[in-house]
Amino acid sequence: MAQPDNQSKRFFESLSGAGKSIAVLTSGGDAQGMNAAVRAVVRMGIYVGAKVYFIREGYQGMVDGGEENIKEASWESVSSMLQMGGTVIGSARCKEFRSHEGRLKAAHNLVQRGITNLCVIGGDGSLTGANLFREEWSGLLEELVQQGGEWGWFYAVQKYSALHIVGMVGSIDNDFCGTDMTIGTDSALHRIIEVVDAIMTTAQSHQRTFVLEVMGRHCGYLALVSALACGADWVLIPEMPPEDGWEEKMCQKLSATRSRGSRLNIIIVAEGAIDRHGKAITGSVVKDLVVRCLGFDTRVTILGHVQRGGTPSAFDRILASRMGVEAVIALLETTANTPACVVSLCGNQAVRLPLMECVQMTQEVQKAMDEKKFEEAVKLRGRSFENNLKTYKLLAHRKLESELPHVTNIVLSFNFNIAVLNVGAPAAGMNAAVRSAVRVGISEGHKMFAVNDGFEGFYKGQIKEIKWADVGGWTGQGGSLLGTKRTLPAKHVEKIAEQMRAHNINALLVIGGFEAYLGLMELLEARGKYDEFCVPMVMVPATVSNNVPGSDLSIGADTALNAITDTCDRIKQSASGTKRRVFIIETMGGYCGYLASVGGLAAGADAAYIYEEPFDIRDLQSNVEHLTEKMKGAIQRGLVLRNENSNENYTTDFIYQLYSEEGRGVFDCRKNVLGHMQQGGAPSPFDRNFGTKISAKAMLWLTKKMNETFRQGRVFANTEDTCCLLGMRRRALVFQPVVQLKDETDFVHRIPKEQWWLKLRPLMKILAKYKTSYDVSDSGQLEHVVRNIQPKESDPSGAM
């Protein structure tokens, strides 16, 4: 998509909320991140000059009215909401709002306060109710005039003639069509994976089988993605009822896994799982089956409301903050003829979709499932859900030799040898990517080779075949089990070529960061001298710094963001008993300010210093003055993040000393360098899933390229499009020749020349009450729900 020029750009400063009143409510089941969304709506609304109201207890509070239920919000009233789970303003089921009389009361209560802009955070039922309320609005006001008969009410009807609705989907089930992720889903996955990781250790100790029942009465997203993220042996979801005879197949799979040396089995069951005849499949049913048929020691764990609890993940905080700001902008831009919209996520883009189109498709999914049209239901769920399901099927079941694909009558795919290696610094999720590559490669009929210690291990001959069972349990492991080094291949191409020849390597998969990108370019240049490098090569970005050109996201960055967010939460908590304290936190990232900027948004920072946005002593002084002013109010703590290479002279120590001196008598300072803890720990569900899916896609591409370039008994690939980087670009996963990425790269500072997340920086400043400019050129257009019918080469991967 072409970027708008300066003349056609739109900035939110042109939008004014003066004279407008906005109300925000949460309805239906609670979800982590709802509070972050409420905070964003309140602060953005106040920022543009509107009055903002909380509606407590959802629609019940709207119907009941009164000062306690519909209360004006202040900037400070949402200060501690960002890291809180659940919904602080409450949520309740409200039968009364479903009646005409109830909605009439609600209209009366809103008009009394001049509220004609409503931001609803909830599921499809809550949003459908909001749209009905909007459609009835003018009729409800006329009824109020007839009942009241006062001139004031007649005037109110004229002034408040239209109700504007914008929805945000808060649901841990991710069961709403039109968005890749709903607020709360990622946090729920964190709770599930925390439990699974804990259970796996005890299961291995006792050689047990564990059956986990997770939420998802009508949607199997949580079960499916958690199965992908932990490498579960079997998953049962409503959208994919198992074929008749599944009991025997499952037991065979569990038995085969044990016979290959595994000491545990994990089975994940969605609470709404059914068989082909509509009969419920519960955790206890699966347990009884395993005990009866295999005699395995089996336990059932029902996670229940644990999945709704706890603090929101970094992803949910960022998603909710982005959606909340976008919702306010949508309300300011709406007209009487604008249909109610829902703010959604597509890839990494915030989009607006007609609310009722999304609701209708969500209802179509349920209808298709009721009619046992399960393939149709999966497609209606969206490409993200379908890709997750395809990837799980690809990885879960090892194919027999008789099932392996035949490329031609002469050549079998399993004659190909593929090497996989990690390059650069370790990043959480690398092991999930390697596991996915190995198992997809074997499923495609290839022989897989693991290279230890990156290109250094390659030229030293540290290469060995890696089998299906060798990568069991790798998804939850942090770091790099293959070993990884920053060594580049240019000085060792001759020896690497010898190893390629000795092992007859027909394709390369490189998983890593900026060094992997540079290394792939060096191997491409070596093609002219060594035919061994004339094979398909693809890189999958994996680095906490998220600084690889050609990809908006890298494996490992989400885990690092969660480490930063968790640490900032604890630091802020430590200041709760000590007033007037400012913390200076240094993050990793090299010259890339992704972690500092997006981590700052997730943690509610007051400022974030990065290389991409130059700053000087006047900016530092301005920030000190801002914090000094802040300390006069109710929020008497501050948080400042600094990217490690943001400025050569304004070091973390310098900024700490400056703040300490300039804030003397007003606030005191503490500093913290987070260091390598950002690279460590178990990978987040996002990184496990992203690594698994992107690596599987890369392997299928390699298979295709090897088959296309097989000539006269060997693979020979020497065109630019056979040496690619696979990255997320806006809404799609795309393969890009590395040669074409040169112009997009700042090689001196090891960052892309343009970075999408810089557009998020103003959000952090707005939510911290700084005056700033915010480009809203990409938003504003109401799109339509895309039906997932025909497959495309570049499938949108979704956020998860």
Side-chain angles (χ1 to χ4, degrees):
M1 185 182 291
Q3 294 297 314
D5 58 35
N6 287 331
Q7 291 181 343
S8 63
K9 278 188 175 182
R10 293 184 304 112
F11 293 90
F12 90 108
E13 299 95 303
S14 61
L15 302 171
S16 173
K20 295 188 177 182
S21 294
I22 299 170
V24 58
L25 66 94
T26 54
S27 179
D30 65 305
Q32 307 97 318
M34 279 184 165
N35 289 322
V38 171
R39 170 182 178 268
V41 170
V42 169
R43 290 199 164 177
M44 185 63 173
I46 293 172
Y47 192 92
V48 297
K51 274 190 174 183
V52 186
Y53 291 85
F54 294 134
I55 299 180
R56 299 189 183 277
E57 309 306 333
Y59 288 115
Q60 190 66 56
M62 196 191 295
V63 172
D64 293 343
E67 287 300 319
E68 284 304 308
N69 289 317
I70 305 177
K71 186 175 183 179
E72 188 172 353
S74 66
W75 189 274
E76 289 77 14
S77 65
V78 295
S79 62
S80 59
M81 276 192 176
L82 191 62
Q83 63 264 37
M84 296 176 73
T87 165
V88 171
I89 60 175
S91 180
R93 309 287 179 189
C94 180
K95 288 184 179 179
E96 201 173 349
F97 188 76
R98 296 176 186 173
S99 68
H100 183 79
E101 292 73 19
R103 292 192 290 276
L104 191 65
K105 286 182 185 178
H108 178 274
N109 291 327
L110 293 188
V111 171
Q112 275 190 323
R113 292 162 180 80
I115 298 170
T116 56
N117 297 282
L118 204 56
C119 182
V120 180
I121 307 166
D124 62 331
S126 304
L127 297 176
T128 303
N131 190 62
L132 175 62
F133 190 40
R134 170 185 166 275
E135 289 174 348
E136 292 182 347
W137 181 259
S138 58
L140 293 171
L141 294 196
E142 285 182 19
E143 277 189 62
L144 290 172
V145 169
Q146 290 168 8
Q147 288 178 8
E150 298 175 15
W151 170 254
W153 271 107
F154 179 77
Y155 172 74
V157 169
Q158 301 300 310
K159 186 177 180 181
Y160 308 125
S161 59
L163 177 68
H164 306 300
I165 301 283
V166 171
M168 283 184 278
V169 191
S171 166
I172 67 166
D173 292 331
N174 203 31
D175 56 354
F176 192 81
C177 294
T179 185
D180 288 338
M181 285 289 275
T182 56
I183 295 168
T185 304
D186 186 68
S187 300
L189 285 169
H190 273 257
R191 300 295 93 77
I192 294 169
I193 294 305
E194 285 164 8
V195 172
V196 172
D197 285 352
I199 278 175
M200 287 176 86
T201 57
T202 185
Q204 283 179 323
S205 301
H206 296 278
Q207 294 195 61
R208 279 184 179 145
T209 295
F210 267 91
V211 182
L212 272 80
E213 193 172 302
V214 301
M215 284 185 169
R217 195 169 301 156
H218 304 293
C219 178
Y221 186 89
L222 289 178
L224 177 58
V225 174
S226 54
L228 261 179
C230 72
D233 296 285
W234 205 267
V235 66
L236 294 155
I237 59 174
E239 295 88 347
M240 188 183 66
E243 301 284 350
D244 290 346
W246 66 272
E247 297 93 339
E248 184 181 349
K249 288 181 181 177
M250 185 185 77
C251 289
Q252 286 175 351
K253 169 77 189 305
L254 300 180
S255 182
T257 302
R258 288 290 180 95
S259 67
R260 288 196 293 268
S262 175
R263 292 177 59 86
L264 79 159
N265 299 114
I266 299 288
I267 302 164
I268 296 183
V269 184
E271 61 179 328
I274 54 172
D275 65 16
R276 289 276 160 175
H277 307 287
K279 184 181 176 183
I281 303 175
T282 64
S284 58
V285 166
V286 175
K287 175 199 169 183
D288 293 344
L289 172 66
V290 174
V291 171
R292 186 174 68 251
C293 296
L294 297 173
F296 289 172
D297 185 3
T298 307
R299 299 285 189 274
V300 177
T301 299
I302 300 173
L303 297 191
H305 284 75
V306 166
Q307 295 156 88
R308 290 194 188 279
T311 59
S313 66
F315 183 98
D316 272 329
R317 299 183 197 197
I318 295 159
L319 174 65
S321 298
R322 290 178 70 185
M323 299 299 103
V325 168
E326 181 67 25
V328 172
I329 294 171
L331 285 170
L332 296 179
E333 291 184 333
T334 194
T335 65
N337 298 321
T338 307
C341 76
V342 61
V343 181
S344 300
L345 184 76
C346 185
N348 68 357
Q349 298 292 117
V351 297
R352 298 180 201 169
L353 299 170
L355 190 155
M356 291 316 294
E357 281 188 23
C358 298
V359 169
Q360 184 181 354
M361 190 178 287
T362 304
Q363 291 169 348
E364 285 179 29
V365 174
Q366 193 56 50
K367 183 183 176 187
M369 288 170 65
D370 291 342
E371 295 175 353
K372 295 186 169 54
K373 297 177 181 176
F374 298 110
E375 287 186 12
E376 183 181 329
V378 167
K379 285 190 174 294
L380 287 168
R381 280 265 180 248
R383 210 177 298 275
S384 175
F385 188 94
E386 188 179 24
N387 284 347
N388 282 318
L389 188 53
K390 284 179 179 176
T391 306
Y392 179 79
K393 287 179 177 178
L394 203 58
L395 293 170
H397 307 295
R398 184 176 183 177
K399 294 178 183 176
L400 300 173
E401 194 164 301
S402 60
E403 299 176 299
L404 293 173
H406 292 251
V407 180
T408 68
N409 291 330
I410 304 168
V411 184
L412 292 176
S413 280
F414 54 78
N415 284 341
F416 292 140
N417 296 345
I418 301 177
V420 57
L421 63 156
N422 295 157
V423 176
M430 274 183 164
N431 297 320
V434 172
R435 170 188 176 271
S436 175
V438 169
R439 292 198 168 179
V440 171
I442 292 170
S443 290
E444 288 293 298
H446 310 310
K447 188 181 283 188
M448 297 300 298
F449 288 85
V451 181
N452 295 114
D453 296 336
F455 288 117
E456 186 174 314
F458 212 146
Y459 81 79
K460 289 180 177 178
Q462 295 171 210
I463 306 166
K464 63 178 180 180
E465 187 179 354
I466 187 165
K467 302 289 184 67
W468 184 281
D470 295 337
V471 292
W474 278 34
T475 51
Q477 299 290 318
S480 167
L481 292 173
L482 287 185
T484 181
K485 295 283 182 73
R486 296 179 183 271
T487 309
L488 293 175
K491 295 179 181 178
H492 312 285
V493 286
E494 186 176 351
K495 289 183 178 178
I496 293 173
E498 284 177 14
Q499 295 297 331
M500 295 273 287
R501 187 165 58 252
H503 293 89
N504 190 27
I505 301 300
N506 306 119
L508 277 182
L509 172 63
V510 183
I511 302 165
F514 205 85
E515 286 87 0
Y517 168 63
L518 295 175
L520 211 58
M521 285 200 290
E522 290 179 0
L523 294 184
L524 180 64
E525 289 175 14
R527 277 180 172 179
K529 195 172 180 181
Y530 301 97
D531 283 354
E532 286 80 6
F533 299 119
C534 292
V535 295
M537 297 184 281
V538 66
M539 174 194 161
V540 168
T543 166
V544 300
S545 302
N546 197 33
N547 64 329
V548 177
S551 188
D552 294 345
L553 298 170
S554 298
I555 299 165
D558 183 73
T559 305
L561 279 177
N562 278 288
I564 292 167
T565 306
D566 291 346
T567 305
C568 288
D569 282 355
R570 294 180 188 186
I571 285 171
K572 285 162 75 175
Q573 193 176 45
S574 76
S576 62
T578 309
K579 302 298 183 186
R580 298 178 180 171
R581 179 163 286 176
V582 175
F583 291 90
I584 316 291
I585 312 293
E586 183 184 299
T587 66
M588 293 178 85
Y591 285 95
C592 181
Y594 176 82
L595 290 179
S597 296
V598 183
L601 181 60
D606 295 282
Y609 300 120
I610 63 170
Y611 165 78
E612 293 91 341
E613 197 173 281
F615 58 97
D616 57 24
I617 195 70
R618 287 165 295 187
D619 297 308
L620 293 171
Q621 184 63 40
S622 173
N623 294 147
V624 171
E625 290 168 2
H626 183 88
L627 284 165
T628 301
E629 191 65 27
K630 182 181 179 181
M631 297 298 163
K632 294 177 183 176
I635 315 166
Q636 297 188 338
R637 64 172 182 264
L639 182 66
V640 175
L641 270 59
R642 178 189 175 275
N643 166 245
E644 59 185 349
N645 289 345
S646 57
N647 189 289
E648 188 178 350
N649 296 311
Y650 299 137
T651 62
T652 301
D653 283 338
F654 177 92
I655 292 173
Y656 163 69
Q657 289 165 2
L658 176 72
Y659 271 62
S660 296
E661 181 61 32
E662 295 297 315
R664 191 186 300 275
V666 180
F667 57 81
D668 64 349
C669 275
R670 296 289 186 274
K671 67 174 178 176
N672 195 321
V673 178
L674 299 187
H676 284 78
M677 65 168 288
Q678 296 158 86
Q679 283 182 330
S684 67
F686 182 99
D687 279 329
R688 298 183 195 201
N689 191 5
F690 186 50
T692 298
K693 285 205 296 187
I694 196 171
S695 195
K697 192 174 181 71
M699 288 302 300
L700 295 176
W701 180 86
L702 285 176
T703 298
K704 179 185 173 189
K705 290 297 178 185
M706 285 188 296
N707 291 331
E708 288 175 353
T709 58
F710 190 86
R711 301 285 185 275
Q712 299 176 339
R714 62 158 294 185
V715 172
F716 188 82
N718 64 348
T719 55
E720 288 182 359
D721 66 348
T722 56
C723 181
C724 286
L725 180 146
L726 174 57
M728 163 71 86
R729 299 301 289 260
R730 292 170 72 87
R731 304 185 188 185
L733 281 172
V734 291
F735 291 93
Q736 305 141 97
V738 292
V739 169
Q740 295 177 14
L741 295 174
K742 282 185 177 180
D743 292 340
E744 299 180 24
T745 309
D746 175 352
F747 287 98
V748 175
H749 299 100
R750 298 160 58 89
I751 55 175
K753 289 178 180 176
E754 291 188 11
Q755 303 189 82
W756 69 274
W757 51 264
L758 286 170
K759 289 186 176 181
L760 300 184
R761 277 185 63 79
L763 298 190
M764 184 193 70
K765 294 178 181 178
I766 288 166
L767 298 176
K769 217 174 185 177
Y770 282 93
K771 288 295 178 187
T772 188
S773 183
Y774 181 40
D775 182 1
V776 294
S777 307
D778 285 346
S779 62
Q781 295 298 317
L782 196 64
E783 301 186 15
H784 292 282
V785 179
V786 177
R787 289 179 176 270
N788 178 22
I789 300 170
Q790 296 298 326
K792 295 180 180 177
E793 179 63 28
S794 298
D795 293 341
S797 73
M800 286 293 292

